[in-house]
Amino acid sequence: MEFSIKAGTPEKLRSGCIALGVIDAKGLTPAAAAIDKASNGYLTEILRRGDLEPKAGSTLMLHNVPGTACERILLVSLGKQAEFSDKNFRSTVGAAAKAFATCGSKDATLCLLDQAVPGRDARWRGRQAAMLLADSAYRYETTKAKKDDAPRRGPSKITLLLADQADVAGVQAGAVQGKAIAGGMALAKELGNLPANICTPTYLAQQAKALGKAHKLKVDVLERAQMEKLGMGSLLSVAAGSAQPPKFIVMKYDGAPKKGARPVVLVGKGITFDTGGISIKPAAEMDEMKYDMCGAASVFGTLKAVATLGLPLNVIGLVPTTENMPGGRATKPGDIVTSMSGQTIEILNTDAEGRLILCDALTYAERFEPDCVIDIATLTGACIIALGAIPSGLLANDDELAAELLARGQESGDRAWQLPLWDDYQEMLKSNFADIPNIGSKGAGTITAACFLARFTAKYKWAHLDIAGTAWKSGGDKGATGRPVPLLAQFLLGRAKAA
Ligand code: BES
Ligand code: MN
Ligand code: ZN
């Protein structure tokens, strides 16, 4: 999707579809007023009849509006001026994106960026708009034979038309970022949506190499033998039941101008299918466990966005990846393994496998002397019970890092919510036979999972994002969301600005 950013009024514009804002039910934004004038009050007349709902994000498509050079006019309600907010901005642009995607036009113009959003600048508006528009163009069709059944493609060219010339540079800069973030989301969605018989650990390793080639990342893939040498007994215990070889993927983006600058390390859970292992899961919705590598997918997507933008930072992506399968060689409940850190782990439930692959990756991360480490994982069903699908769960051993991530979540619209990582919860992880069990006693499942990880992260600042509720949607709209690529990308944009 190509964006062009201009200032002016839309009445003489030739465009397949122009989206215009209406505020406080009947108030015309300057762009809408210009079209209204050119059409002799056509819009005012329609609004007077009350055809457009006043709620932010409601739309009304008009065809053949007199006095204009465009095929369609999309009226979009901005809601109440006094209540205009991040959320209303996003729902209005999102509604326009949805209408654009199905209207059949090859090009479109968006005149919805002029209404000031409290606390946000032009760059934010450009970034959010480009991200929402480009993201709405994603379609999954890789494994469909009948491609022509796929929904109609939306516009490939979008003009962001602004009332104020002074906003052009900011919106332009933001749009470049938003488009790159959407590109990262598309990669994360695609990897997530691919079935587990295609998206295996080997496939992820190949994709990492391909990403490295396209974006100048250094990519190393460690094989089983190398993992054995490193002592990654915890990770390998999860892979024991699988016919697919596990991989440990290391991707390095070197963008910092200063040599040796400490990297941000992102660690993504890459379980390409989670059957639960010997502690096998029930059959209902088990297909959705193909999404258990969405943490890994978000690391791929974030690195892609960062490299596309050439951010002046060092970022390392670590992806431990394997299937979790039952079988004659599979790890059994009660088995004890030794992690790379040297700590022994009693595996009381083979379905708590995410933490078992992450802990070795978190120990491996120490060698990079990281500025901070963020792991991203579809880790616990309990997180869905606690928070649903709105925010990702956030736990951290550093309050400043947590606050930074919470703020970047707000800014990007891809929010997180912090849960406590108090020492008191560590009491719930006790084993009679090893240093630590892989599950806690009853209750607080998201927190005890993070407490387990915390035993491996004492040497650096660390945050954990539990994306079990946010990484994909179930039901009729089943599909990966691309989250938390926007949050992570915004975090790194913030770091780049500070650097
Ligand atoms: N991948 C699952 C978590 C999950 C379940 C995410 C459903 C999204 C939807 C994870 O590996 C898992 O099975 N966790 C267990 C942990 C339990 C055995 C302590 C869970 O949440 O039930
Ligand atoms: Mn599991
Ligand atoms: Zn899992």
Side-chain angles (χ1 to χ4, degrees):
M1 187 176 281
E2 295 306 320
F3 292 100
S4 63
I5 291 87
K6 293 183 188 132
T9 50
E11 70 279 9
K12 297 229 168 65
L13 220 65
R14 258 178 211 292
S15 181
C17 185
I18 300 186
L20 301 171
V22 177
I23 195 128
D24 288 327
K26 296 192 172 69
L28 298 174
T29 55
I35 296 262
D36 191 51
K37 194 165 166 222
S39 65
N40 271 323
Y42 192 85
L43 302 186
T44 311
E45 177 59 18
I46 285 188
L47 292 171
R48 192 187 54 75
R49 283 190 237 137
D51 286 17
L52 180 68
E53 301 258 357
K55 192 172 176 291
S58 303
T59 58
L60 182 65
M61 187 70 91
L62 308 174
H63 298 265
N64 306 320
V65 174
T68 69
C70 58
E71 293 160 26
R72 305 168 192 80
I73 297 275
L74 179 72
L75 295 180
V76 184
S77 190
L78 302 179
K80 291 192 182 134
Q81 176 135 28
E83 291 171 6
F84 202 64
S85 61
D86 287 15
K87 183 164 183 271
N88 285 8
F89 181 88
R90 273 193 280 270
S91 50
T92 55
V93 175
K98 200 166 159 199
F100 284 167
T102 51
C103 80
S105 170
K106 288 288 137 225
D107 69 288
T109 303
L110 191 76
C111 306
L112 299 176
L113 268 65
D114 297 318
Q115 183 62 43
V117 185
R120 305 298 186 197
D121 56 9
R123 185 182 290 241
W124 182 91
R125 281 178 272 145
R127 181 167 55 235
Q128 286 282 309
M131 181 182 88
L132 292 165
L133 288 160
D135 177 52
S136 72
Y138 173 83
R139 298 282 179 282
Y140 179 82
E141 43 195 32
T142 313
T143 45
K144 289 186 184 174
K146 282 194 293 177
K147 307 270 190 224
D148 46 2
D149 273 5
R152 193 156 50 165
R153 287 243 175 239
S156 54
K157 279 193 187 142
I158 295 195
T159 301
L160 306 178
L161 190 67
L162 310 174
D164 191 348
Q165 180 67 41
D167 283 347
V168 170
V171 168
Q172 173 77 55
V176 168
Q177 296 171 341
K179 185 179 159 179
I181 295 169
M185 293 171 77
L187 174 59
K189 286 183 176 184
E190 186 69 10
L191 293 174
N193 287 333
L194 282 170
N197 62 325
I198 294 175
C199 186
T200 59
T202 302
Y203 181 87
L204 284 180
Q206 287 164 350
Q207 293 305 301
K209 294 265 185 204
L211 189 66
K213 267 229 168 87
H215 293 281
K216 298 213 179 94
L217 309 175
K218 268 191 241 136
V219 177
D220 284 315
V221 177
L222 309 190
E223 304 292 332
R224 191 196 303 267
Q226 291 159 286
M227 290 183 250
E228 276 166 4
K229 255 205 190 127
L230 286 163
M232 294 180 164
S234 184
L235 195 175
L236 290 170
S237 75
V238 177
S242 172
Q244 293 289 340
K247 306 278 173 183
F248 189 91
I249 302 168
V250 183
M251 296 176 277
K252 288 186 192 147
Y253 167 76
D254 280 318
K258 220 173 68 199
K259 240 192 124 193
R262 286 175 177 249
V264 172
V265 178
L266 304 176
V267 180
K269 172 177 173 182
I271 296 290
T272 58
F273 197 83
D274 183 10
T275 64
I278 297 296
S279 315
I280 200 158
K281 287 184 179 293
E285 280 108 52
M286 210 212 272
D287 67 290
E288 295 187 10
M289 284 298 113
K290 72 173 182 179
Y291 289 116
D292 213 17
M293 36 56 70
C294 282
S298 76
V299 173
F300 279 75
T302 302
L303 278 169
K304 179 173 173 165
V306 165
T308 301
L309 293 172
L311 297 189
L313 293 172
N314 293 341
V315 184
I316 293 177
L318 300 179
V319 172
T321 173
T322 174
E323 291 180 334
N324 183 24
M325 298 289 282
R329 296 175 201 278
T331 298
K332 305 164 290 300
D335 285 2
I336 294 178
V337 299
T338 305
S339 66
M340 186 178 171
S341 73
Q343 297 176 86
T344 59
I345 302 166
E346 184 183 17
I347 299 176
L348 289 171
N349 188 323
T350 63
D351 198 10
E353 85 299 339
R355 61 199 79 179
L356 295 173
I357 68 168
L358 290 169
C359 70
D360 281 341
L362 290 166
T363 300
Y364 188 85
E366 288 172 7
R367 68 186 52 207
F368 302 111
E369 294 179 19
D371 181 299
C372 64
V373 178
I374 303 169
D375 81 75
I376 308 100
T378 47
L379 204 62
T380 62
C383 194
I384 311 176
I385 307 291
L387 300 174
I390 314 293
S392 300
L394 168 68
L395 298 104
N397 67 7
D398 183 271
D399 284 338
E400 252 177 78
L401 178 60
E404 190 178 349
L405 282 162
L406 290 173
R408 297 317 180 190
Q410 286 286 353
E411 192 173 355
S412 64
D414 179 7
R415 287 175 293 176
W417 188 257
Q418 192 175 7
L419 299 172
L421 191 67
W422 295 325
D423 272 349
D424 313 53
Y425 289 102
Q426 289 289 355
E427 305 289 314
M428 297 169 75
L429 289 173
K430 286 223 164 94
S431 166
N432 287 350
F433 306 106
D435 298 332
I436 183 174
N438 79 324
I439 55 171
S441 50
K442 209 170 149 55
T446 302
I447 299 174
T448 54
C451 282
F452 177 94
L453 297 176
R455 304 261 186 124
F456 301 84
T457 60
K459 297 203 174 125
Y460 46 68
K461 293 179 192 170
W462 159 74
H464 160 64
L465 289 167
D466 194 329
I467 58 166
T470 53
W472 76 90
K473 290 183 187 161
S474 306
D477 305 328
K478 192 187 290 179
T481 59
R483 292 178 67 183
V485 171
L487 162 60
L488 294 168
Q490 193 64 52
F491 172 81
L492 293 167
L493 279 170
R495 287 285 173 118
K497 205 171 154 196

